mmCIF file of all heavy atoms in Angstrom:
data_model
loop_
_atom_site.group_PDB
_atom_site.id
_atom_site.type_symbol
_atom_site.label_atom_id
_atom_site.label_comp_id
_atom_site.label_asym_id
_atom_site.label_seq_id
_atom_site.Cartn_x
_atom_site.Cartn_y
_atom_site.Cartn_z
ATOM 1 N N ILE A 780 -1.126 1.063 -0.116
ATOM 2 C CA ILE A 780 -2.079 0.138 0.503
ATOM 3 C C ILE A 780 -3.274 0.943 0.981
ATOM 4 O O ILE A 780 -3.107 2.001 1.579
ATOM 5 C CB ILE A 780 -1.443 -0.563 1.735
ATOM 6 C CG1 ILE A 780 -0.193 -1.347 1.364
ATOM 7 C CG2 ILE A 780 -2.454 -1.431 2.466
ATOM 8 C CD1 ILE A 780 -0.426 -2.483 0.429
ATOM 9 N N THR A 781 -4.476 0.440 0.748
ATOM 10 C CA THR A 781 -5.652 1.035 1.367
ATOM 11 C C THR A 781 -6.189 0.059 2.409
ATOM 12 O O THR A 781 -6.134 -1.152 2.226
ATOM 13 C CB THR A 781 -6.764 1.341 0.340
ATOM 14 O OG1 THR A 781 -7.220 0.130 -0.245
ATOM 15 C CG2 THR A 781 -6.276 2.291 -0.740
ATOM 16 N N CYS A 782 -6.656 0.621 3.513
ATOM 17 C CA CYS A 782 -7.278 -0.179 4.561
ATOM 18 C C CYS A 782 -8.564 0.512 4.989
ATOM 19 O O CYS A 782 -8.557 1.716 5.275
ATOM 20 C CB CYS A 782 -6.375 -0.310 5.785
ATOM 21 S SG CYS A 782 -5.028 -1.452 5.609
ATOM 22 N N ASN A 783 -9.637 -0.246 5.048
ATOM 23 C CA ASN A 783 -10.877 0.266 5.601
ATOM 24 C C ASN A 783 -10.613 0.574 7.071
ATOM 25 O O ASN A 783 -10.071 -0.260 7.793
ATOM 26 C CB ASN A 783 -11.968 -0.789 5.442
ATOM 27 C CG ASN A 783 -13.297 -0.323 5.965
ATOM 28 O OD1 ASN A 783 -13.421 0.078 7.112
ATOM 29 N ND2 ASN A 783 -14.295 -0.401 5.115
ATOM 30 N N VAL A 784 -10.983 1.763 7.514
ATOM 31 C CA VAL A 784 -10.689 2.197 8.874
ATOM 32 C C VAL A 784 -11.242 1.213 9.903
ATOM 33 O O VAL A 784 -10.531 0.812 10.824
ATOM 34 C CB VAL A 784 -11.237 3.621 9.118
ATOM 35 C CG1 VAL A 784 -11.111 4.008 10.574
ATOM 36 C CG2 VAL A 784 -10.529 4.615 8.228
ATOM 37 N N ASP A 785 -12.495 0.821 9.749
ATOM 38 C CA ASP A 785 -13.090 -0.107 10.714
ATOM 39 C C ASP A 785 -12.353 -1.433 10.736
ATOM 40 O O ASP A 785 -12.106 -2.004 11.799
ATOM 41 C CB ASP A 785 -14.570 -0.339 10.401
ATOM 42 C CG ASP A 785 -15.406 0.915 10.622
ATOM 43 O OD1 ASP A 785 -14.995 1.779 11.424
ATOM 44 O OD2 ASP A 785 -16.464 1.038 9.970
ATOM 45 N N GLU A 786 -11.985 -1.944 9.560
ATOM 46 C CA GLU A 786 -11.246 -3.204 9.483
ATOM 47 C C GLU A 786 -9.873 -3.084 10.134
ATOM 48 O O GLU A 786 -9.410 -4.008 10.797
ATOM 49 C CB GLU A 786 -11.091 -3.651 8.032
ATOM 50 C CG GLU A 786 -12.370 -4.130 7.397
ATOM 51 C CD GLU A 786 -12.863 -5.440 7.985
ATOM 52 O OE1 GLU A 786 -12.049 -6.344 8.248
ATOM 53 O OE2 GLU A 786 -14.085 -5.546 8.177
ATOM 54 N N PHE A 787 -9.225 -1.936 9.945
ATOM 55 C CA PHE A 787 -7.898 -1.745 10.532
ATOM 56 C C PHE A 787 -7.953 -1.896 12.048
ATOM 57 O O PHE A 787 -7.110 -2.559 12.640
ATOM 58 C CB PHE A 787 -7.321 -0.375 10.157
ATOM 59 C CG PHE A 787 -6.028 -0.093 10.858
ATOM 60 C CD1 PHE A 787 -4.854 -0.682 10.410
ATOM 61 C CD2 PHE A 787 -5.981 0.711 11.978
ATOM 62 C CE1 PHE A 787 -3.654 -0.457 11.064
ATOM 63 C CE2 PHE A 787 -4.793 0.934 12.637
ATOM 64 C CZ PHE A 787 -3.625 0.356 12.175
ATOM 65 N N TYR A 788 -8.937 -1.297 12.667
ATOM 66 C CA TYR A 788 -9.035 -1.358 14.128
ATOM 67 C C TYR A 788 -9.575 -2.689 14.630
ATOM 68 O O TYR A 788 -9.144 -3.175 15.664
ATOM 69 C CB TYR A 788 -9.898 -0.205 14.652
ATOM 70 C CG TYR A 788 -9.204 1.131 14.517
ATOM 71 C CD1 TYR A 788 -9.607 2.044 13.562
ATOM 72 C CD2 TYR A 788 -8.130 1.453 15.332
ATOM 73 C CE1 TYR A 788 -8.962 3.264 13.424
ATOM 74 C CE2 TYR A 788 -7.480 2.666 15.202
ATOM 75 C CZ TYR A 788 -7.905 3.572 14.247
ATOM 76 O OH TYR A 788 -7.248 4.760 14.121
ATOM 77 N N GLU A 789 -10.507 -3.282 13.908
ATOM 78 C CA GLU A 789 -11.121 -4.523 14.364
ATOM 79 C C GLU A 789 -10.312 -5.761 13.992
ATOM 80 O O GLU A 789 -10.369 -6.773 14.685
ATOM 81 C CB GLU A 789 -12.537 -4.646 13.804
ATOM 82 C CG GLU A 789 -13.485 -3.600 14.353
ATOM 83 C CD GLU A 789 -14.862 -3.663 13.708
ATOM 84 O OE1 GLU A 789 -15.257 -4.750 13.237
ATOM 85 O OE2 GLU A 789 -15.525 -2.614 13.665
ATOM 86 N N HIS A 790 -9.591 -5.711 12.885
ATOM 87 C CA HIS A 790 -8.850 -6.863 12.381
ATOM 88 C C HIS A 790 -7.450 -6.425 11.940
ATOM 89 O O HIS A 790 -7.230 -6.141 10.767
ATOM 90 C CB HIS A 790 -9.593 -7.505 11.197
ATOM 91 C CG HIS A 790 -11.003 -7.856 11.498
ATOM 92 N ND1 HIS A 790 -11.348 -8.932 12.278
ATOM 93 C CD2 HIS A 790 -12.170 -7.263 11.145
ATOM 94 C CE1 HIS A 790 -12.661 -8.984 12.391
ATOM 95 N NE2 HIS A 790 -13.187 -7.993 11.712
ATOM 96 N N PRO A 791 -6.503 -6.365 12.854
ATOM 97 C CA PRO A 791 -5.174 -5.872 12.514
ATOM 98 C C PRO A 791 -4.456 -6.683 11.435
ATOM 99 O O PRO A 791 -3.497 -6.214 10.844
ATOM 100 C CB PRO A 791 -4.404 -5.909 13.836
ATOM 101 C CG PRO A 791 -5.285 -6.540 14.833
ATOM 102 C CD PRO A 791 -6.643 -6.707 14.258
ATOM 103 N N ILE A 792 -4.954 -7.875 11.147
ATOM 104 C CA ILE A 792 -4.329 -8.696 10.113
ATOM 105 C C ILE A 792 -4.508 -8.080 8.718
ATOM 106 O O ILE A 792 -3.761 -8.400 7.797
ATOM 107 C CB ILE A 792 -4.855 -10.147 10.159
ATOM 108 C CG1 ILE A 792 -3.919 -11.085 9.384
ATOM 109 C CG2 ILE A 792 -6.289 -10.222 9.655
ATOM 110 C CD1 ILE A 792 -4.195 -12.549 9.593
ATOM 111 N N VAL A 793 -5.485 -7.177 8.549
ATOM 112 C CA VAL A 793 -5.735 -6.592 7.228
ATOM 113 C C VAL A 793 -4.489 -5.876 6.708
ATOM 114 O O VAL A 793 -4.085 -6.060 5.559
ATOM 115 C CB VAL A 793 -6.951 -5.638 7.246
ATOM 116 C CG1 VAL A 793 -7.073 -4.865 5.941
ATOM 117 C CG2 VAL A 793 -8.220 -6.434 7.508
ATOM 118 N N LEU A 794 -3.845 -5.067 7.546
ATOM 119 C CA LEU A 794 -2.629 -4.368 7.119
ATOM 120 C C LEU A 794 -1.536 -5.371 6.749
ATOM 121 O O LEU A 794 -0.878 -5.235 5.715
ATOM 122 C CB LEU A 794 -2.139 -3.418 8.206
ATOM 123 C CG LEU A 794 -0.874 -2.631 7.884
ATOM 124 C CD1 LEU A 794 -1.073 -1.734 6.668
ATOM 125 C CD2 LEU A 794 -0.440 -1.810 9.097
ATOM 126 N N ALA A 795 -1.362 -6.402 7.561
ATOM 127 C CA ALA A 795 -0.354 -7.421 7.272
ATOM 128 C C ALA A 795 -0.664 -8.146 5.964
ATOM 129 O O ALA A 795 0.236 -8.428 5.165
ATOM 130 C CB ALA A 795 -0.263 -8.417 8.428
ATOM 131 N N HIS A 796 -1.935 -8.439 5.730
ATOM 132 C CA HIS A 796 -2.335 -9.126 4.501
ATOM 133 C C HIS A 796 -2.065 -8.252 3.272
ATOM 134 O O HIS A 796 -1.465 -8.708 2.295
ATOM 135 C CB HIS A 796 -3.816 -9.509 4.564
ATOM 136 C CG HIS A 796 -4.326 -10.134 3.313
ATOM 137 N ND1 HIS A 796 -4.217 -11.487 3.071
ATOM 138 C CD2 HIS A 796 -4.922 -9.600 2.218
ATOM 139 C CE1 HIS A 796 -4.732 -11.751 1.877
ATOM 140 N NE2 HIS A 796 -5.168 -10.618 1.337
ATOM 141 N N GLU A 797 -2.505 -7.001 3.324
ATOM 142 C CA GLU A 797 -2.322 -6.123 2.161
ATOM 143 C C GLU A 797 -0.843 -5.858 1.896
ATOM 144 O O GLU A 797 -0.417 -5.812 0.746
ATOM 145 C CB GLU A 797 -3.096 -4.819 2.333
ATOM 146 C CG GLU A 797 -4.603 -4.987 2.441
ATOM 147 C CD GLU A 797 -5.232 -5.805 1.319
ATOM 148 O OE1 GLU A 797 -4.699 -5.838 0.194
ATOM 149 O OE2 GLU A 797 -6.286 -6.421 1.559
ATOM 150 N N LEU A 798 -0.051 -5.710 2.938
ATOM 151 C CA LEU A 798 1.395 -5.555 2.735
ATOM 152 C C LEU A 798 2.006 -6.832 2.164
ATOM 153 O O LEU A 798 2.977 -6.766 1.412
ATOM 154 C CB LEU A 798 2.091 -5.157 4.034
ATOM 155 C CG LEU A 798 1.935 -3.686 4.419
ATOM 156 C CD1 LEU A 798 2.395 -3.454 5.851
ATOM 157 C CD2 LEU A 798 2.693 -2.794 3.453
ATOM 158 N N GLY A 799 1.443 -7.994 2.488
ATOM 159 C CA GLY A 799 1.911 -9.246 1.895
ATOM 160 C C GLY A 799 1.788 -9.245 0.380
ATOM 161 O O GLY A 799 2.585 -9.859 -0.328
ATOM 162 N N HIS A 800 0.797 -8.526 -0.126
ATOM 163 C CA HIS A 800 0.620 -8.422 -1.576
ATOM 164 C C HIS A 800 1.734 -7.607 -2.241
ATOM 165 O O HIS A 800 1.923 -7.713 -3.452
ATOM 166 C CB HIS A 800 -0.731 -7.803 -1.920
ATOM 167 C CG HIS A 800 -1.872 -8.738 -1.775
ATOM 168 N ND1 HIS A 800 -1.980 -9.913 -2.498
ATOM 169 C CD2 HIS A 800 -2.982 -8.679 -0.987
ATOM 170 C CE1 HIS A 800 -3.105 -10.529 -2.160
ATOM 171 N NE2 HIS A 800 -3.726 -9.802 -1.245
ATOM 172 N N GLU A 801 2.457 -6.814 -1.487
ATOM 173 C CA GLU A 801 3.589 -6.095 -2.082
ATOM 174 C C GLU A 801 4.612 -7.104 -2.626
ATOM 175 O O GLU A 801 5.298 -6.821 -3.591
ATOM 176 C CB GLU A 801 4.243 -5.156 -1.067
ATOM 177 C CG GLU A 801 3.370 -3.992 -0.656
ATOM 178 C CD GLU A 801 3.082 -3.030 -1.799
ATOM 179 O OE1 GLU A 801 4.011 -2.402 -2.321
ATOM 180 O OE2 GLU A 801 1.889 -2.899 -2.161
ATOM 181 N N TRP A 802 4.693 -8.264 -1.985
ATOM 182 C CA TRP A 802 5.568 -9.332 -2.471
ATOM 183 C C TRP A 802 4.810 -10.264 -3.414
ATOM 184 O O TRP A 802 5.301 -10.594 -4.480
ATOM 185 C CB TRP A 802 6.130 -10.147 -1.294
ATOM 186 C CG TRP A 802 7.267 -9.486 -0.577
ATOM 187 C CD1 TRP A 802 8.601 -9.729 -0.773
ATOM 188 C CD2 TRP A 802 7.187 -8.493 0.445
ATOM 189 N NE1 TRP A 802 9.348 -8.942 0.069
ATOM 190 C CE2 TRP A 802 8.498 -8.165 0.832
ATOM 191 C CE3 TRP A 802 6.140 -7.834 1.076
ATOM 192 C CZ2 TRP A 802 8.791 -7.228 1.810
ATOM 193 C CZ3 TRP A 802 6.425 -6.891 2.054
ATOM 194 C CH2 TRP A 802 7.734 -6.605 2.404
ATOM 195 N N PHE A 803 3.615 -10.698 -2.977
ATOM 196 C CA PHE A 803 2.889 -11.718 -3.728
ATOM 197 C C PHE A 803 1.711 -11.109 -4.466
ATOM 198 O O PHE A 803 0.674 -10.863 -3.901
ATOM 199 C CB PHE A 803 2.467 -12.865 -2.803
ATOM 200 C CG PHE A 803 3.660 -13.556 -2.247
ATOM 201 C CD1 PHE A 803 4.110 -13.277 -0.973
ATOM 202 C CD2 PHE A 803 4.391 -14.425 -3.031
ATOM 203 C CE1 PHE A 803 5.247 -13.885 -0.471
ATOM 204 C CE2 PHE A 803 5.530 -15.041 -2.541
ATOM 205 C CZ PHE A 803 5.956 -14.767 -1.256
ATOM 206 N N TYR A 804 1.938 -10.840 -5.584
ATOM 207 C CA TYR A 804 1.359 -10.293 -6.779
ATOM 208 C C TYR A 804 2.273 -9.185 -7.314
ATOM 209 O O TYR A 804 2.647 -9.218 -8.453
ATOM 210 C CB TYR A 804 -0.066 -9.745 -6.673
ATOM 211 C CG TYR A 804 -0.398 -9.019 -7.969
ATOM 212 C CD1 TYR A 804 -0.433 -9.725 -9.165
ATOM 213 C CD2 TYR A 804 -0.558 -7.644 -8.020
ATOM 214 C CE1 TYR A 804 -0.664 -9.069 -10.374
ATOM 215 C CE2 TYR A 804 -0.788 -6.996 -9.222
ATOM 216 C CZ TYR A 804 -0.833 -7.707 -10.391
ATOM 217 O OH TYR A 804 -1.043 -7.056 -11.565
ATOM 218 N N LEU A 805 2.646 -8.227 -6.503
ATOM 219 C CA LEU A 805 3.340 -7.063 -7.055
ATOM 220 C C LEU A 805 4.797 -7.350 -7.404
ATOM 221 O O LEU A 805 5.335 -6.732 -8.313
ATOM 222 C CB LEU A 805 3.204 -5.879 -6.115
ATOM 223 C CG LEU A 805 1.752 -5.367 -6.110
ATOM 224 C CD1 LEU A 805 1.470 -4.509 -4.906
ATOM 225 C CD2 LEU A 805 1.425 -4.642 -7.400
ATOM 226 N N ILE A 806 5.455 -8.261 -6.718
ATOM 227 C CA ILE A 806 6.814 -8.653 -7.100
ATOM 228 C C ILE A 806 6.777 -10.005 -7.799
ATOM 229 O O ILE A 806 7.259 -10.164 -8.909
ATOM 230 C CB ILE A 806 7.750 -8.706 -5.872
ATOM 231 C CG1 ILE A 806 7.859 -7.321 -5.242
ATOM 232 C CG2 ILE A 806 9.126 -9.219 -6.289
ATOM 233 C CD1 ILE A 806 8.578 -7.324 -3.920
ATOM 234 N N ILE A 807 6.170 -10.967 -7.124
ATOM 235 C CA ILE A 807 6.048 -12.307 -7.697
ATOM 236 C C ILE A 807 4.634 -12.404 -8.254
ATOM 237 O O ILE A 807 3.685 -12.665 -7.526
ATOM 238 C CB ILE A 807 6.318 -13.388 -6.634
ATOM 239 C CG1 ILE A 807 7.708 -13.183 -6.045
ATOM 240 C CG2 ILE A 807 6.155 -14.774 -7.230
ATOM 241 C CD1 ILE A 807 7.995 -14.003 -4.822
ATOM 242 N N GLY A 808 4.469 -12.160 -9.538
ATOM 243 C CA GLY A 808 3.159 -11.933 -10.124
ATOM 244 C C GLY A 808 2.423 -13.188 -10.543
ATOM 245 O O GLY A 808 3.000 -14.241 -10.774
ATOM 246 N N ASN A 809 1.123 -13.028 -10.611
ATOM 247 C CA ASN A 809 0.228 -14.039 -11.143
ATOM 248 C C ASN A 809 -0.960 -13.284 -11.734
ATOM 249 O O ASN A 809 -1.047 -12.065 -11.625
ATOM 250 C CB ASN A 809 -0.234 -15.009 -10.046
ATOM 251 C CG ASN A 809 -1.022 -14.328 -8.958
ATOM 252 O OD1 ASN A 809 -0.457 -13.592 -8.145
ATOM 253 N ND2 ASN A 809 -2.328 -14.558 -8.916
ATOM 254 N N ASP A 810 -1.868 -13.993 -12.342
ATOM 255 C CA ASP A 810 -3.069 -13.364 -12.866
ATOM 256 C C ASP A 810 -4.069 -13.303 -11.717
ATOM 257 O O ASP A 810 -4.832 -14.233 -11.482
ATOM 258 C CB ASP A 810 -3.626 -14.173 -14.044
ATOM 259 C CG ASP A 810 -4.802 -13.503 -14.716
ATOM 260 O OD1 ASP A 810 -5.469 -12.661 -14.063
ATOM 261 O OD2 ASP A 810 -5.050 -13.805 -15.887
ATOM 262 N N GLU A 811 -4.054 -12.200 -10.986
ATOM 263 C CA GLU A 811 -4.868 -12.109 -9.775
ATOM 264 C C GLU A 811 -6.356 -11.975 -10.067
ATOM 265 O O GLU A 811 -7.171 -12.130 -9.175
ATOM 266 C CB GLU A 811 -4.386 -10.989 -8.866
ATOM 267 C CG GLU A 811 -4.541 -9.617 -9.403
ATOM 268 C CD GLU A 811 -4.170 -8.563 -8.373
ATOM 269 O OE1 GLU A 811 -3.949 -8.870 -7.195
ATOM 270 O OE2 GLU A 811 -4.123 -7.414 -8.755
ATOM 271 N N TYR A 812 -6.714 -11.689 -11.298
ATOM 272 C CA TYR A 812 -8.133 -11.630 -11.655
ATOM 273 C C TYR A 812 -8.674 -13.035 -11.936
ATOM 274 O O TYR A 812 -9.707 -13.416 -11.432
ATOM 275 C CB TYR A 812 -8.342 -10.717 -12.864
ATOM 276 C CG TYR A 812 -9.786 -10.544 -13.231
ATOM 277 C CD1 TYR A 812 -10.617 -9.722 -12.482
ATOM 278 C CD2 TYR A 812 -10.327 -11.221 -14.315
ATOM 279 C CE1 TYR A 812 -11.957 -9.570 -12.804
ATOM 280 C CE2 TYR A 812 -11.666 -11.073 -14.646
ATOM 281 C CZ TYR A 812 -12.475 -10.243 -13.895
ATOM 282 O OH TYR A 812 -13.790 -10.102 -14.213
ATOM 283 N N ALA A 813 -7.946 -13.809 -12.732
ATOM 284 C CA ALA A 813 -8.411 -15.148 -13.111
ATOM 285 C C ALA A 813 -8.096 -16.199 -12.044
ATOM 286 O O ALA A 813 -8.846 -17.158 -11.888
ATOM 287 C CB ALA A 813 -7.785 -15.573 -14.446
ATOM 288 N N GLU A 814 -6.988 -16.041 -11.337
ATOM 289 C CA GLU A 814 -6.575 -17.027 -10.335
ATOM 290 C C GLU A 814 -6.152 -16.333 -9.044
ATOM 291 O O GLU A 814 -4.993 -16.430 -8.616
ATOM 292 C CB GLU A 814 -5.430 -17.874 -10.885
ATOM 293 C CG GLU A 814 -5.848 -18.706 -12.098
ATOM 294 C CD GLU A 814 -4.693 -19.483 -12.677
ATOM 295 O OE1 GLU A 814 -3.583 -18.924 -12.803
ATOM 296 O OE2 GLU A 814 -4.897 -20.654 -13.003
#
Side-chain angles (χ1 to χ4, degrees):
I780 301 296
T781 63
C782 284
N783 181 305
V784 172
D785 293 335
E786 289 291 319
F787 174 78
Y788 289 107
E789 294 176 26
H790 306 285
I792 197 169
V793 171
L794 180 61
H796 176 86
E797 298 308 332
L798 283 168
H800 283 299
E801 292 295 296
W802 282 262
F803 296 100
Y804 171 63
L805 290 162
I806 298 171
I807 302 169
N809 62 288
D810 185 337
E811 66 174 351
Y812 184 76
E814 296 177 317

